[in-house]
Amino acid sequence: MPAVLTALISLLPVAYLVVRASGGGIETVVETIWRARTWELTVASLGLAAAVTLLSIFVGVSLAWLVVRTDLPGRRVFGVLAALPLAVPSYVAAYIWIAAFPGLTGFTGSVLVLTLVSYPYVYLPVAAALARIDPAMEEVALSLGRGRMSVVLRQLRPSAAAGALLVAMYALGEFGAVSIMRFDVFTTQIYTSYRASFDRTPAAVLGLLLVVVTFVIVVAESRSRGRAAYATRGAPPRRRRVVALRPAGKAAALVWSGAVAAAAVGFPFAGICYWLLEGASSGVRPDRLLAAFGATVGMAAAGALVSTALAVPVGVIAARYRSRTASVLEQASYVGHALPGIVVALSLVFFAVRYAYPLYQRWPMLVLAYAVLFLPAAVGAVRASVLQSPPVLEEVARSLGRGPFAVMRQVTLPLALPGVTAGAALVFLTAMKELPATLLLRPTGMDTLATRLWTETGSGAYGAAAPYAAVLMLVAAVPGFVLGRRSTKEDT
């Protein structure tokens, strides 16, 4: 029942889109779908998502392998740096890149920026999976005439697929970076349609098409997992195999890791420092900055707690059961992540005005929006962690008389705790940077760091926006640092 409740909450935006789309009549729906512009947007959105996902898989998996399974010099530092791009808002990165390279617009610029800010979604779960692979499994494979990589790649598949799914949906639902890069996709057209006309039917139809695309991607990812088991039969491994790199390989690994860190972390932070120096004379009100900081941390923390509570039952069911119901519940939880924040926000405004008016323009609606938007990050982390937890321990607990809820509380959740906390940290990081939903749903008089940043940059006051951007990135860097440290933590 908790998983069903999670699915219903996630489907609220879809219900809103259906109501809006049906209000214009079937003729308007058909006309919107068959427009040449709609198909152009479909190709552009899918092409962007595919390119960003493939590049993120390459960058994330390669960095995870170098950090966790090799003797790369300074791998602890590189492990932290690999997770820090999560602290960089995509619209801030886009502003910095476009200011430095004005010609970097359109598809190329969008792919570059989105890859640099989203590859940690692949890196973090893959690094965690690599750290938990039992070397004994690789040794058995060698004794049977198979290569080590056959075991490693098989064990990495669910984590890499979960991360790739998050990246694909992030790219499909991104608005800020692509609008700055002047690359038209579904999200920019939906936003333009909402702003330019009182007729919301075309925008609702485009939103439903985005939901269909998301559903197809989620189903494909679910099918790719198959029915294989990924957990060991005993306790988690206490040792880790480390590959010794040759001098040439070590030099190439250092160059690659350093280049990614410089482009994804160094360049954005250098841009923020430049803005701070250029705008030193513009001044900033400390009371306003402190209030925005408090609101950002409070709302993001509440969103992370709610998202994690909703994600745990869905993640456990998705990992432990192979039924159609389990698949539907998991797939429903992914819908909101691919929708633009403005669509999710408007759906919740529609719901609050009609059915929960006391919550209209109150903080619970904003927290609920964060949960709908970022639930997949928590679900994917929980599912991947539960998949690698030995089911035999749960079976032993049941044989000793423990009920299903006691087993989940005493066995399943403690074993999956790394995934649960990682998912909560990812939601916290992402919620701090969320812009469209925060602009529409924040209580009157409340500003977050993201909304103040957007307001100042919208008026061209980059110097005034720099303190908000700097504080936002520094605060987001704390959980990013923790996640990066965990990816390089030695087993004892």
Side-chain angles (χ1 to χ4, degrees):
M1 292 308 298
V4 171
L5 175 62
T6 300
L8 292 177
I9 292 174
S10 300
L11 292 175
L12 271 178
V14 179
Y16 165 77
L17 292 174
V18 171
V19 171
R20 282 296 186 188
S22 61
I26 189 64
E27 296 83 4
T28 305
V29 173
V30 173
E31 179 187 353
T32 303
I33 291 176
W34 288 107
R35 288 176 183 170
R37 181 60 175 162
T38 300
W39 293 103
E40 292 174 3
L41 293 172
T42 302
V43 173
S45 298
L46 290 177
L48 177 66
V52 172
T53 301
L54 291 175
L55 288 174
S56 295
I57 291 174
F58 175 75
V59 176
V61 173
S62 63
L63 288 179
W65 177 263
L66 291 174
V67 167
V68 179
R69 297 298 296 269
T70 73
D71 60 346
L72 175 72
R75 62 192 185 95
R76 290 178 179 271
V77 175
F78 284 118
V80 172
L81 292 176
L84 283 184
L86 289 173
V88 182
S90 60
Y91 43 88
V92 172
Y95 270 126
I96 293 173
W97 279 97
I98 204 72
F101 305 98
L104 191 66
T105 58
F107 179 80
T108 303
S110 300
V111 169
L112 173 65
V113 169
L114 292 182
T115 300
L116 291 176
V117 300
S118 61
Y119 80 81
Y121 287 119
V122 176
Y123 164 78
L124 288 172
V126 170
L130 280 171
R132 298 185 65 179
I133 295 177
D134 192 345
M137 299 175 64
E138 303 175 39
E139 294 160 4
V140 170
L142 286 175
S143 69
L144 296 175
R146 305 287 297 274
R148 292 182 183 272
M149 293 307 297
S150 63
V151 173
V152 173
L153 293 177
R154 181 176 178 275
Q155 289 290 313
L156 293 184
R157 187 170 66 176
S159 299
L165 179 60
L166 288 176
V167 172
M169 292 189 299
Y170 181 86
L172 285 173
E174 173 60 26
F175 168 74
V178 291
S179 62
I180 293 170
M181 289 293 176
R182 298 191 290 276
F183 183 64
D184 283 336
V185 290
F186 270 129
T187 52
T188 57
Q189 189 62 34
I190 290 171
Y191 181 80
T192 302
S193 181
Y194 271 119
R195 292 289 301 271
S197 174
F198 288 105
D199 183 11
R200 304 286 172 81
T201 301
V205 173
L206 291 177
L208 286 176
L209 286 177
L210 196 54
V211 170
V212 172
V213 171
T214 302
F215 179 76
V216 172
I217 294 175
V218 171
V219 170
E221 188 273 340
S222 178
R223 295 287 179 85
S224 72
R225 277 182 258 146
R227 296 179 175 270
Y230 296 92
T232 59
R233 299 295 294 178
R238 292 297 185 181
R239 60 193 178 96
R240 183 185 305 173
R241 180 177 181 269
V242 176
V243 177
L245 297 174
R246 295 182 178 181
K250 191 171 294 185
L254 283 171
V255 171
W256 170 243
S257 303
V260 174
V265 180
F267 190 70
F269 275 89
I272 293 298
C273 292
Y274 174 79
W275 283 2
L276 284 171
L277 293 175
E278 286 292 311
S281 59
S282 62
V284 62
R285 290 176 52 182
D287 57 333
R288 181 175 289 178
L289 180 62
L290 184 61
F293 166 78
T296 300
V297 173
M299 291 296 98
L305 288 175
V306 173
S307 297
T308 303
L310 293 173
V312 166
V314 177
V316 172
I317 287 176
R320 288 292 185 252
Y321 299 94
R322 300 302 187 193
S323 65
R324 179 169 297 180
T325 301
S327 298
V328 170
L329 291 175
E330 182 191 7
Q331 291 159 9
S333 69
Y334 282 85
V335 169
H337 193 64
L339 290 174
I342 187 174
V343 174
V344 174
L346 288 172
S347 68
L348 293 179
V349 169
F350 176 82
F351 172 77
V353 169
R354 292 204 174 190
Y355 307 107
Y357 191 75
L359 297 179
Y360 179 63
Q361 285 195 321
R362 297 290 189 271
W363 65 267
M365 281 290 103
L366 181 56
V367 171
L368 187 60
Y370 289 161
V372 172
L373 285 167
F374 310 126
L375 184 62
V379 171
V382 173
R383 188 197 67 213
S385 188
V386 173
L387 274 174
Q388 289 193 312
S389 301
V392 66
L393 300 181
E394 301 171 13
E395 297 165 3
V396 170
R398 292 299 302 274
S399 70
L400 295 175
R402 296 292 192 274
F405 290 104
V407 171
M408 177 179 290
R409 185 179 68 255
Q410 298 175 7
V411 179
T412 306
L413 290 183
L415 288 174
L417 188 60
V420 175
T421 55
L426 284 175
V427 174
F428 179 77
L429 276 168
T430 316
M432 282 195 297
K433 302 182 292 181
E434 167 56 29
L435 185 63
T438 308
L439 286 171
L440 287 178
L441 294 175
R442 58 189 169 134
T444 303
M446 188 188 82
D447 275 317
T448 65
L449 294 170
T451 58
R452 289 300 310 170
L453 171 61
W454 185 261
T455 300
E456 300 294 351
T457 53
S459 60
Y462 297 107
Y468 296 99
V471 173
L472 177 59
M473 292 170 67
L474 288 175
V475 174
V478 174
F481 174 82
V482 173
L483 290 171
R485 286 278 295 177
R486 285 181 54 183
S487 70
T488 60
K489 185 179 179 181
E490 294 285 355
D491 294 323
T492 57

